[in-house]
Amino acid sequence: MQEKNISKFNFEQCQKCSVCNTVCPMLAVNENYPGPKQAGPDGERYRLKNPEFYDYALKYCLNCKRCEVACPSGVRIADIIASAKLDYGKKSRPLRDWTLANTDLVGTMASAFAPVANPVLGLKPVKAAMHGLIGVDKHRQFPAYSGQKFETWFRRKAEASQAGYSRFVSFFHGCYANYNYPQLGKDFVAVMNACGYGVRLLEKEKCCGVALISNGFGGQAAAQGRVNARSPCATSTRTCSA
Ligand code: SF4
Ligand code: SF4
């Protein structure tokens, strides 16, 4: 028995079908990324034998988990990759990683100054400066930020009317709906109300942590997850299972 080769995840269940590779958005556009099968279960076998087999191209994984959803064997591919990045990847985190990972902070600031931030972030000199100073690629297109967060709209315009319903759903809206595209959240509330359900938000919602994990901030992601899990629904004393 090779105890050294036992993974804390379940890569042993991989049957080499390569289905995961067919759904990976990074593999489709980046020839430097080995893909979920190689980065996940295949690479893990090597890394357990010798950490020097760690491939720094794993940094390209977005932690979107599409590979895990597609895997017929239930291999926790994205978890294997995220764990390898934390265990074997670089320990110092550059400003670029910190900026892209802290979506709540950046989103709150960008939303507050959306009329200025949106056009400025699209200017070539600004993109060139960000490329040179903090390593955010100059070809990157930033999503437009909304001048009003979904949460702000909900508290002001929709929360009071939700009390008129007898059944409720807990809505974890996420960063994109909150800072970039509030209409998505507004439409969700409208559909739920039309179906006879009131909507409740967490009293204190934090980013789900996907961006933190993919940039190597596992501890911060876990802390935010605990805040979300313990946060009661607004207007309710129950803890949400959002
Ligand atoms: S989809 Fe699952 S079983 Fe198939 S190669 Fe990928 S990890 Fe292995
Ligand atoms: S989690 Fe990583 S490996 Fe899996 S599909 Fe997303 S980008 Fe590809």
Side-chain angles (χ1 to χ4, degrees):
M1 184 169 171
Q2 293 177 288
E3 286 196 5
K4 191 179 173 190
N5 291 348
I6 294 175
S7 167
K8 54 186 168 182
F9 301 109
N10 57 346
F11 74 84
E12 297 88 352
Q13 292 177 22
C14 174
Q15 55 180 311
K16 312 289 185 191
C17 66
S18 294
V19 167
C20 51
N21 281 356
T22 66
V23 299
C24 175
M26 183 53 70
L27 183 61
V29 298
N30 187 343
E31 62 183 17
N32 295 318
Y33 185 56
K37 177 171 169 287
Q38 176 60 37
D42 287 359
E44 188 72 354
R45 287 187 170 83
Y46 287 101
R47 292 189 291 267
L48 287 174
K49 292 180 188 298
N50 186 344
E52 289 188 7
F53 283 113
Y54 177 75
D55 182 353
Y56 281 88
L58 265 62
K59 69 180 180 182
Y60 294 120
C61 174
L62 303 166
N63 198 34
C64 67
K65 291 182 174 281
R66 290 182 67 181
C67 51
E68 286 192 3
V69 174
C71 176
S73 299
V75 179
R76 292 164 58 191
I77 310 163
D79 286 350
I80 293 171
I81 296 170
S83 177
K85 287 160 72 173
L86 293 173
D87 289 345
Y88 311 119
K90 59 180 188 253
K91 300 302 177 194
S92 63
R93 304 292 169 200
L95 183 59
R96 171 224 172 259
D97 292 2
W98 187 89
T99 305
L100 296 180
N102 282 277
T103 51
D104 279 327
L105 178 64
V106 173
T108 298
M109 291 195 305
S111 291
F113 300 101
V116 176
N118 288 332
V120 165
L121 286 172
L123 295 175
K124 281 188 177 178
V126 174
K127 288 187 171 190
M130 291 175 68
H131 185 104
L133 292 174
I134 61 174
V136 175
D137 193 279
K138 62 187 176 189
H139 299 101
R140 185 185 178 112
Q141 301 277 344
F142 281 94
Y145 287 94
S146 170
Q148 184 187 52
K149 295 189 292 184
F150 167 72
E151 277 185 0
T152 305
W153 171 85
F154 183 84
R155 306 290 185 210
R156 289 180 183 170
K157 303 285 187 182
E159 187 166 36
S161 62
Q162 304 307 305
Y165 295 87
S166 57
R167 297 176 297 180
F168 297 93
V169 293
S170 301
F171 182 32
F172 187 94
H173 50 69
C175 294
Y176 185 68
N178 200 30
Y179 302 115
N180 303 103
Y181 192 41
Q183 190 60 44
L184 194 61
K186 295 176 186 177
D187 290 346
F188 178 83
V189 173
V191 170
M192 286 297 110
N193 288 172
C195 292
Y197 287 86
V199 175
R200 288 173 173 166
L201 308 186
L202 302 190
E203 278 185 0
K204 197 172 195 177
E205 179 180 318
K206 293 277 191 182
C207 165
C208 68
V210 166
L212 287 163
I213 293 169
S214 64
N215 282 287
F217 297 91
Q220 188 179 342
Q224 293 190 184
R226 285 192 289 273
V227 171
N228 287 331
R230 292 170 183 160
S231 181
C233 295
T235 72
S236 166
T237 54
R238 289 181 298 106
T239 298
C240 291
S241 55

